[in-house]
Amino acid sequence: MGTRIMIQKAQSKLLKVSQQALRIDLIPGITYSQVSVHSYPNVDLKMDVLRPRTGKLLPAMIFVTGGGFITSNRASHLEIRMCLAKAGYLVASIEYRFAPQANLPAPIIDTKTAIRYLRKNAMRFGVDPKRIGIMGTSAGGYLSCFAGVTGHSRLFDVGENTDVSSEVSCVVDFYGVTDLSRMADGFDEKTVRAYDSPSACQALWLNGCTICGGVDASVSARSEEVQRYNPANYVDEHTPPFLLFHGTKDTLVSEVETDIMFQALRAKGIEAERYLVEGAGHGGSHWVQPEVQQVVLNFLAKHLS
């Protein structure tokens, strides 16, 4: 008789899961506005939406990326956007017009149009229209601040869906600009001179391109316009709560900028918190760490959830 060979059946392991994590849908490339850029009258502006599946109406955050005033890549900063989506917030990351194709107030108008679009289409996306906040980095922080201080006043509310409000419930500003003429405060003399050039990005953001009717001037030469486009000057008793961050090693935007906004808010009695992140630059790995994310989540839990 032949030898019988015994084969032992492998044992599978049973894995139990908590089902606490949310499923998240990506809805990319939604056109929220059509705008004029030079001779083109109908350029699409788009948003990408991260929508968690909760079965409930969602609080929402508009996310406004930075880009040195010369770009607006809505795919940026996925870490914080996913963090918010996992916590149960719908996140709509937007693009906007930038220099030299456009200048102020066009990017402010675009940001407020995005808020109105989301509120107008709240039921389509499963959003609670009474719980919409805004968050931005750098130039996006600047635009978020402007949205926060002008939502109740209808300033810069131009374009589509003006029958609904662009008001937001709270603002998160990561190392954003406030006063365009003070971006280099405390920096070396060479940087100060470069920032005061008519060809500096912030000058193009303010003045536009000369060939398209813009003004050839530095920001310091246009003090009246600089103050018109300083969000700190619009803070009043209707301004929503703010959370502001700046890095102690930021070499692109002086930390004075978020402090200007912070002091203006506190002077009007508006709830505001400001954090200096030790060792952080203008962007970089410090800003994706859980300590920073948790401060944001705590703030949003208080003002949106």
Side-chain angles (χ1 to χ4, degrees), residues 194-204 207 216-218:
Y195 276 39
D196 198 39
S197 165
S199 64
C201 293
Q202 60 268 36
L204 296 174
N207 300 323
D216 183 21
S218 66

Side-chain angles (χ1 to χ4, degrees), residues 150-173:
T150 63
H152 65 283
S153 67
R154 295 296 186 139
L155 285 172
F156 306 110
D157 271 317
V158 178
E160 297 95 331
N161 301 313
T162 52
D163 58 319
V164 296
S165 170
S166 60
E167 194 167 0
V168 292
S169 298
C170 60
V171 178
V172 181
D173 173 13

Side-chain angles (χ1 to χ4, degrees), residues 225-283:
E225 285 298 287
V226 166
Q227 292 312 309
R228 180 189 178 197
Y229 292 115
N230 180 341
N233 293 333
Y234 295 85
V235 175
D236 63 18
E237 67 274 15
H238 302 291
T239 299
F242 269 63
L243 173 63
L244 305 105
F245 292 93
H246 220 111
T248 63
K249 298 294 185 181
D250 194 326
T251 58
L252 289 179
V253 173
S254 171
E255 68 177 60
V256 166
E257 293 285 15
T258 49
D259 192 51
I260 293 170
M261 193 71 203
F262 181 57
Q263 297 304 331
L265 291 160
R266 297 299 293 267
K268 292 290 187 179
I270 303 303
E271 183 178 345
E273 302 174 55
R274 180 174 181 258
Y275 288 83
L276 294 176
V277 179
E278 186 175 4
H282 199 76

Side-chain angles (χ1 to χ4, degrees), residues 115-128:
I115 298 166
R116 296 195 309 272
Y117 174 87
L118 190 60
R119 179 165 281 121
K120 183 76 171 184
N121 293 277
M123 293 302 103
R124 172 186 170 192
F125 293 108
V127 164
D128 182 346

